Structure formats: structure tokens, C-alpha cells
Amino acid sequence: MLGRLLFALLGFAPFLLAAQSQTVIVYDPSKYILVDARTLRGSFGYTSFGISDVDTLPDRQGQGLDVRIEGRLVSSFRKKKEGFVIADAFFLDLTLGVLSSEQLYYFTSPESRFSTAAAIGYSFLAGYSDERFGILGGKEVLWSTAIVGGTELPGPSLFTFTAPWMARLEFRPGFSQEFRIMVTGWDNFNNAKRTNGFRVDIPFLPKKRFFLTYTFTRASDQVSYASFDNYQYAPGTFTQHMIGLRFGSIY
């Protein structure tokens, strides 16, 4: 009886060992896309935003969180920090928030409290930088949209397309080469469909590439208002303030 039991255990031993063995999986790196974190810039913070100047109607205001991610392209291949410099990026800027104004009604239906804004595009800046100062200029192509409660800009389409000119001034008070105060402004100089604004980046934590940041954005286009009938539009203005933290290489 004991011999039969030992024989049975020996017969099942290979299966028991196989069940307990570890499976080794080999991945082919050529099938995956690897992203170097050094090619990324971005920011995140608190934002207040709204749509105003729509005839004599009440302004619509919202507040929430803003996240911006930038992927460096040409500038990611350049290591030069002085002389001729380039700062470019594809970017996505997304705001998620809620309506802070009192709700309006379309007949008996209250407007939604959900509010959002988004911008996507590409910016290219080039110029000169030395130990203390820098000046850059360039262009941006931009698609933007905003919804504040039941009011949308642009109303007739999903996105507003503009191509503002840009300029950036830099001053390095000390520490590392990238410890620079930067002021960036943009404007497309088109009153019918205007996009303009500015951003201020103030560095802290030397050599860590972190900045306190404030951004003001303004855009004008045709607006679909919360209490309008469908396909009825009027000129209006979207404004946004964002304060938060910015990170990443300055070039």
C-alpha cells in the first residue's frame, strides 16, 4: 500500500512542480513607445474663468482645476542654453470645473453646472539668451473652446482657431542657468476673433525646474448663450485666470 502511494506521488510530482514554477515573459521593446520625461513640460493649478459681454445678459462664471501638458519637439534635440535658443512644444490645456454663477433657465430647464475649457496646439519660440537675459519671439497655432454652464464659446462650431504672435522676456537673478523669471505674451490682433493673454513664471528651488505660474487668457468669438434658442449667437468674451505650479525645461 505504501509503495503504491509513493508511486502515485512520484507520478504527480512533475505536475505539482510545473504548477509552482514561475512563468517568464519576455517583452519585445520594439513594440512599445518610450517617452523620455525630460521632453515634457506642464503646469497645474486653480483657475477661475467665465464668458461675459454677451449683449446685456448676466456673465457666466466658473471655477475649477487646470492641467497643461507640453511635449517638446525641436527643442528636445538641442542642448544649447546660451546664444541662439529654441522653445517649442505641442500642448494640451484642459480645465474642469463647475458653474459658480446662479443657474439660468431655458423655459423650465435649468442650465448645467458642468463647466470646462480646452486648448490644443503648437507653439514655436526662438531667440537669444545669455547669462542674465533672454528674448524670444514666435508663433502659435491654437484651437480652443469653452463651456460655462449652458453657455458655449464658440457657439457655431466646436473650436475657435487662431494663430497669435508670441514674445517672451527672461531674466536670471542667479543660481542655475534655468533659474529665470519669464514673462510670455501673445496676441493675434484680430478683433473679430481675438486671442490674447500673458503668463508669468517665477522660479523657486534652484536646479529643480519648478516655477510659480500665473496665466491670463482672453478669447472672443460668437457665443451660444444659456437662454438662447438653438442656432442663435451673439459676440462674447471668454476670460481665464490660472495660478499654480509649472515644471520642466525652459527650452
Side-chain angles (χ1 to χ4, degrees), residues 8-244:
L9 290 174
L10 289 172
F12 281 105
F15 298 100
L16 293 175
L17 292 173
Q20 294 179 355
S21 65
Q22 296 182 351
T23 302
V24 177
I25 301 175
V26 178
Y27 292 98
D28 182 359
S30 65
K31 296 182 180 179
Y32 297 88
I33 299 176
L34 303 179
V35 177
D36 189 340
R38 292 173 297 181
T39 66
L40 299 179
R41 290 193 294 255
S43 63
F44 57 90
Y46 165 79
T47 181
S48 64
F49 55 101
I51 297 176
S52 59
D53 304 326
V54 184
D55 201 8
T56 58
L57 300 169
D59 297 347
R60 318 310 300 137
Q61 297 293 328
Q63 57 184 339
L65 298 175
D66 181 86
V67 177
R68 181 183 178 97
I69 295 296
E70 301 179 4
R72 298 161 61 205
L73 186 61
V74 178
S75 55
S76 66
F77 297 100
R78 293 177 57 86
K79 305 302 181 184
K80 197 172 183 180
K81 303 300 182 183
E82 291 187 11
F84 179 72
V85 293
I86 292 175
D88 75 318
F90 288 101
F91 61 86
L92 170 64
D93 197 319
L94 180 62
T95 296
L96 293 177
V98 296
L99 180 72
S100 56
S101 302
E102 183 178 353
Q103 285 178 290
L104 297 175
Y105 286 80
Y106 180 74
F107 294 104
T108 59
S109 300
E111 67 177 315
S112 170
R113 298 194 68 87
F114 174 74
S115 300
T116 186
I120 186 171
Y122 174 75
S123 63
F124 183 92
L125 289 164
Y128 177 80
S129 172
D130 63 17
E131 289 185 357
R132 289 290 181 183
F133 300 96
I135 182 169
L136 294 84
K139 192 78 169 174
E140 180 177 73
V141 289
L142 174 69
W143 290 263
S144 61
T145 187
I147 301 173
V148 185
T151 300
E152 303 177 13
L153 186 154
S157 56
L158 183 60
F159 288 96
T160 294
F161 172 75
T162 54
W165 295 97
M166 304 182 70
R168 187 169 93 183
L169 299 176
E170 305 172 356
F171 170 67
R172 184 178 76 88
F175 303 106
S176 70
Q177 176 64 16
E178 296 198 51
F179 193 83
R180 292 174 176 249
I181 298 171
M182 298 181 292
V183 179
T184 307
W186 56 90
D187 200 322
N188 69 332
F189 305 104
N190 182 344
N191 290 328
K193 192 180 291 187
R194 192 74 175 267
T195 297
N196 57 13
F198 67 91
R199 183 178 69 237
V200 179
D201 299 313
I202 301 176
F204 69 102
L205 296 177
K207 300 182 181 180
K208 296 297 183 181
R209 295 177 173 176
F210 286 114
F211 302 81
L212 294 175
T213 186
Y214 167 77
T215 304
F216 171 74
T217 302
R218 178 168 51 202
S220 61
D221 203 344
Q222 295 295 305
V223 170
S224 173
Y225 198 76
S227 58
F228 281 1
D229 290 333
N230 289 335
Y231 310 113
Q232 298 295 316
Y233 310 109
T237 302
F238 169 77
T239 56
Q240 182 172 18
H241 304 264
M242 192 284 281
I243 184 168

